[in-house]
Amino acid sequence: MASSKALKLRTPIVIASGPGGFGEYLNVDSIDWSYVGAYILKTITLHSKVGNKPPRIYATDIFMINRIGLENPGFDGLKKMIDSGELDVLLSKVPAILSLGGDSFEEYVEITRLVRPYLDKFLAIEYNFSCPNVHHGGLSIMSDREEWKKLLKEIRKETDAFIIAKLGIESGFVEEMAKIVALEGWDGVTVINTIRGLIVNPEGQVLLGGLSGPALYPIALRAVYEVRKVLPDIFIIASGGIYTAQQAKEMLRFGANAVSIGSALFQNEDVINKIGKEIVEFLKSEEKQ
């Protein structure tokens, strides 16, 4: 069954893993951090990754194809950033959630063990099980259902942290995957991740990567609805195509505990202030009723 732990956020607005990196891709002084409940760091894997060769992003008004490939400095790089104080400015402004990924069962377990001494700096850990633009890990881990169940169980044994599984829609109905997560004692889910996409750019290059952006919104909203219907108590972070405060409100209405802003940041990082302000005012008005 799902854990009885609660994740307390000052607001339900979360910055998604990826667009802001470890804070270096954002103008941290331009964001009103009182509107942000948590910042999910860029995914860290056991070993560093250089990611995919350019082009890495193809964007239109209605969708984006991202094929960055989980570029990250690995656990050693994360340790260096923490020990050197490189993350101190960001962590002083907003509570942070660690994001972890892996290329194998063993890597997920090993990085879970390695981050234990640093967990006092983070609210929770989000595990990226559904990244569609890497060759190993993620979706391939979830494709073997019994192995994935064993992995969920092993990670739960290795950490007392509040743990969240980031799920896509391509390994089965997302609500069924979420039920497995809950049965293994996990605390929450993020739904959904990007989904596999393909585009041919103007230069004739075939780009395979993760589809995000406004086109993802109705799929993500349905996923939140279906997960909440079967799991009334699990913590849900809604993710996918959220660009407006109205969309954030709809995600909360249909069962999300928090709403994650991701690809919208590529257009304008002020979207955080606009959505955050309206959501905070909306919640205050709801409390008065």
Side-chain angles (χ1 to χ4, degrees):
M1 60 181 292
S3 164
S4 60
K5 285 192 245 176
L7 187 65
K8 303 213 179 278
L9 303 178
R10 61 194 181 196
T11 84
I13 302 301
V14 172
I15 293 180
S17 176
F22 301 100
E24 73 274 24
Y25 300 144
L26 295 178
N27 180 354
V28 295
D29 293 326
S30 72
I31 294 173
D32 186 337
W33 292 100
S34 68
Y35 295 142
V36 183
Y39 184 105
I40 306 177
L41 298 179
K42 186 178 177 68
T43 297
I44 288 285
T45 51
L46 181 61
H47 305 293
S48 62
K49 287 181 178 288
V50 297
N52 294 321
K53 295 179 181 178
R56 291 180 164 191
I57 291 178
Y58 181 92
T60 74
D61 290 340
I62 59 171
F63 69 85
M64 175 185 296
I65 296 286
N66 151 30
R67 52 184 310 278
I68 292 170
L70 287 186
E71 177 186 10
N72 76 92
F75 171 74
D76 287 343
L78 173 68
K79 182 178 183 299
K80 182 179 179 181
M81 284 190 286
I82 294 173
D83 292 344
S84 69
E86 189 176 333
L87 295 178
D88 286 357
V89 172
L90 180 66
L91 296 180
S92 71
K93 293 179 180 295
V94 62
I97 294 174
L98 199 56
S99 175
L100 301 180
D103 285 340
S104 67
F105 185 112
E106 292 77 17
E107 286 191 12
Y108 275 102
V109 174
E110 180 63 17
I111 198 167
T112 299
R113 291 171 179 156
L114 289 171
V115 300
R116 278 196 299 228
Y118 302 97
L119 290 182
D120 61 329
K121 296 183 178 293
F122 302 102
L123 278 180
I125 308 174
E126 179 185 81
Y127 284 82
N128 189 347
F129 288 124
S130 51
C131 185
N133 58 4
V134 292
H135 296 300
H136 303 287
L139 288 172
S140 62
I141 291 284
M142 294 177 69
S143 63
D144 184 334
R145 196 64 50 88
E146 292 306 312
E147 189 76 356
W148 186 56
K149 288 180 184 178
K150 290 177 185 176
L151 177 57
L152 293 172
K153 188 185 297 292
E154 189 65 25
I155 290 172
R156 179 71 284 178
K157 286 196 307 188
E158 290 290 342
T159 184
D160 293 325
F162 190 100
I163 49 177
I164 302 162
K166 189 170 189 177
L167 305 177
I169 60 169
E170 296 181 283
S171 296
F173 286 120
V174 69
E175 62 269 28
E176 297 303 317
M177 306 304 288
K179 283 198 286 187
I180 293 171
V181 169
L183 284 170
E184 296 301 339
W186 284 50
D187 307 292
V189 292
T190 296
V191 290
I192 57 177
N193 206 341
T194 56
I195 61 178
R196 292 184 300 172
L198 182 154
I199 197 74
V200 180
N201 70 12
E203 290 74 36
Q205 295 169 295
V206 177
L207 307 180
L208 288 80
L211 176 73
S212 63
L216 210 58
Y217 175 74
I219 303 170
L221 185 61
R222 177 66 182 268
V224 168
Y225 168 80
E226 296 293 348
V227 172
R228 180 57 74 210
K229 193 163 62 171
V230 299
L231 294 169
D233 299 321
I234 200 165
F235 192 91
I236 299 175
I237 300 177
S239 176
I242 301 162
Y243 278 60
T244 68
Q246 180 58 36
Q247 291 173 328
K249 290 176 190 176
E250 290 171 359
M251 287 293 193
L252 296 172
R253 173 187 172 190
F254 285 101
N257 299 96
V259 176
S260 176
I261 311 300
S263 57
L265 287 165
F266 288 115
Q267 288 189 354
N268 181 4
E269 63 187 45
D270 192 50
V271 70
I272 290 293
N273 295 335
K274 290 178 179 177
I275 293 177
K277 183 175 187 293
E278 192 167 333
I279 290 299
V280 168
E281 291 174 353
F282 167 72
L283 292 175
K284 285 180 180 177
S285 68
E286 289 285 295
E287 289 174 1
K288 292 176 182 178
Q289 293 179 10

